């Protein structure tokens, strides 16, 4: 029986067949689909930018207003992703490790930013954190201003980015072998030492993935930010809004030039994060 089953898994020429048939056709469809959805639109950004000379391109992307929008976009996206990296881990930990009333409700709330239109989120956050809002009027006497500042942009990006970290870390926590933690405790390790030396290295690749997803989403976010930012040039104007302004002025080449710089910088940052994931995974495997 074993020999007959092995012989069925081979073709007449003696070569092993694929477990899933139609790989070539499936691969072809996958490449075509990705080309239509991802590669061709991104290539159009490069092609449209070629309409500018190098001097025009450099003048556009190094304009003081454009550079300020880059700083706001990347700084707030990075800050929000870093905050989500910490608190996303905490939320995932509570949802996985503890049982309590209303757990399913809280778990479903994590996905709310996915379902909620970003413009609705932006209006709601602005209403709450504006100087006359529920939270804003409490912070006003303390000298803290949230709406129409980079802090408000960061809060909006935290809101839309938290699900990426939680949903990335959750399955890894669920599959984590608790016997390793118990062994560490039996050997005399304190809880914090067990967390830093045993648990966190296992979670770090997932945390970096969640960070990268939240960061990438935050860089290009528009709907939830455009209301709470105040859109003040040189202060709270984000790069996506500046791109929209260029498009409304029919300056398509200028808009794609700004988008191209964001695309290249984002790609390099994500490439660096992927490299760090590879290093950490390799270190964990070698240590194991």
């Amino acid at each position: 029986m074993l020999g007959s089953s092995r012989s069925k898994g081979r073709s007449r020429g003696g070569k092993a067949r694929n477990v899933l048939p139609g790989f070539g056709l499936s691969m072809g469809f996958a490449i075509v689909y990705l080309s239509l959805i991802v590669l061709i639109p991104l290539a159009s950004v490069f092609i449209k930018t070629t309409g500018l000379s190098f001097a025009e391109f450099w003048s556009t992307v190094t304009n003081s207003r454009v550079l300020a929008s880059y700083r706001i976009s990347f700084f707030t996206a990075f800050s929000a992703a870093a905050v989500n990296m910490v608190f996303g881990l905490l939320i995932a930990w509570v949802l996985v490790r503890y049982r309590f009333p209303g757990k399913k409700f809280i778990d479903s709330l994590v996905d709310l930013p996915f379902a909620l239109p970003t413009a609705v989120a932006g209006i709601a956050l602005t209403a709450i954190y504006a100087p006359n809002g529920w939270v804003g009027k409490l912070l006003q006497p303390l000298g803290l201003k949230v709406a129409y500042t980079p802090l408000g942009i960061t809060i909006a990006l935290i809101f839309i980015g938290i699900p990426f970290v939680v949903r990335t870390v959750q399955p890894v926590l669920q599959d984590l072998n608790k016997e390793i933690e118990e062994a560490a405790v039996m050997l005399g390790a304190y809880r914090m030492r067990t967390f830093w030396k045993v648990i966190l290295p296992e979670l770090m690749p997932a945390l970096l993935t969640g960070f990268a997803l939240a960061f990438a989403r935050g860089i290009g976010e528009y709907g939830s930010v455009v209301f709470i930012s105040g859109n003040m040039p040189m202060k709270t104007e984000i790069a996506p809004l500046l791109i929209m302004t260029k498009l409304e002025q029919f300056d398509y080449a200028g808009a794609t030039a700004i988008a191209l710089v964001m695309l290249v910088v984002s790609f390099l940052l994500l490439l660096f994060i992927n490299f760090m994931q590879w290093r950490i995974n390799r270190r964990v495997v070698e240590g194991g």
Side-chain angles (χ1 to χ4, degrees):
M1 292 294 293
L2 183 59
S4 61
S5 63
R6 286 180 177 176
S7 63
K8 290 180 181 179
R10 296 180 176 273
S11 62
R12 293 181 180 179
K15 295 181 179 179
R17 295 182 299 179
N18 292 321
V19 176
L20 296 177
F23 171 75
L25 184 61
S26 301
M27 188 65 176
F29 274 117
I31 293 175
V32 170
Y33 181 79
L34 288 175
S35 298
L36 292 173
I37 300 299
V38 180
L39 297 180
I40 293 177
L42 293 181
S44 66
V45 174
F46 287 87
I47 295 172
K48 192 67 179 179
T49 308
T50 58
L52 296 173
S53 65
F54 180 78
E56 292 173 331
F57 171 81
W58 188 254
S59 174
T60 299
V61 300
T62 57
N63 180 273
S64 58
R65 182 178 175 183
V66 176
L67 292 176
S69 70
Y70 286 149
R71 285 194 297 270
I72 291 294
S73 293
F74 285 103
F75 174 75
T76 54
F78 184 88
S79 301
V83 171
N84 281 332
M85 193 175 179
V86 176
F87 289 96
L89 171 60
L90 179 61
I91 294 172
W93 183 275
V94 171
L95 291 175
V96 172
R97 293 299 178 94
Y98 300 103
R99 294 182 179 180
F100 52 90
K103 177 180 177 179
K104 291 185 177 180
F105 175 73
I106 295 178
D107 189 52
S108 64
L109 282 180
V110 174
D111 295 324
L112 184 61
F114 284 151
L116 191 68
T118 55
V120 175
I123 293 172
L125 290 172
T126 305
I128 292 172
Y129 289 104
N132 58 347
W134 298 342
V135 179
K137 64 183 179 182
L138 299 177
L139 298 177
Q140 192 75 8
L142 302 176
L144 296 176
K145 186 178 180 181
V146 177
Y148 319 126
T149 66
L151 178 59
I153 299 174
T154 304
I155 291 176
L157 297 182
I158 290 173
F159 174 81
I160 60 100
I162 191 67
F164 292 100
V165 179
V166 176
R167 294 311 185 207
T168 305
V169 174
Q170 242 181 324
V172 180
L173 264 176
Q174 290 170 345
D175 295 337
L176 202 62
N177 190 355
K178 292 185 179 180
E179 294 179 358
I180 301 177
E181 301 176 44
E182 295 172 358
V185 174
M186 292 295 292
L187 291 173
Y190 295 103
R191 290 184 179 271
M192 287 304 298
R193 184 175 178 83
T194 301
F195 175 78
W196 286 106
K197 296 296 184 180
V198 177
I199 300 174
L200 190 59
E202 296 288 339
L203 297 179
M204 189 54 68
L207 279 172
L208 286 176
T209 299
F211 174 88
L213 292 173
F215 177 70
R217 172 67 188 274
I219 290 174
E221 179 59 24
Y222 177 79
S224 63
V225 175
V226 69
F227 295 102
I228 199 171
S229 67
N231 308 320
M232 293 179 284
M234 308 296 295
K235 294 182 179 180
T236 61
E237 187 177 46
I238 57 174
L241 176 64
L242 198 54
I243 293 172
M244 288 296 298
T245 303
K246 294 279 187 183
L247 291 175
E248 290 173 355
Q249 297 171 352
F250 302 102
D251 185 7
Y252 300 117
T256 54
I258 299 172
L260 178 61
V261 173
M262 292 191 68
L263 176 63
V264 171
V265 175
S266 301
F267 177 77
L268 292 176
L269 288 172
L270 292 176
L271 190 65
F272 174 74
I273 293 172
N274 286 331
F275 172 74
M276 293 300 297
Q277 285 178 304
W278 174 79
R279 287 284 303 274
I280 292 173
N281 276 325
R282 184 179 178 184
R283 193 175 300 171
V284 169
V285 171
E286 291 176 352

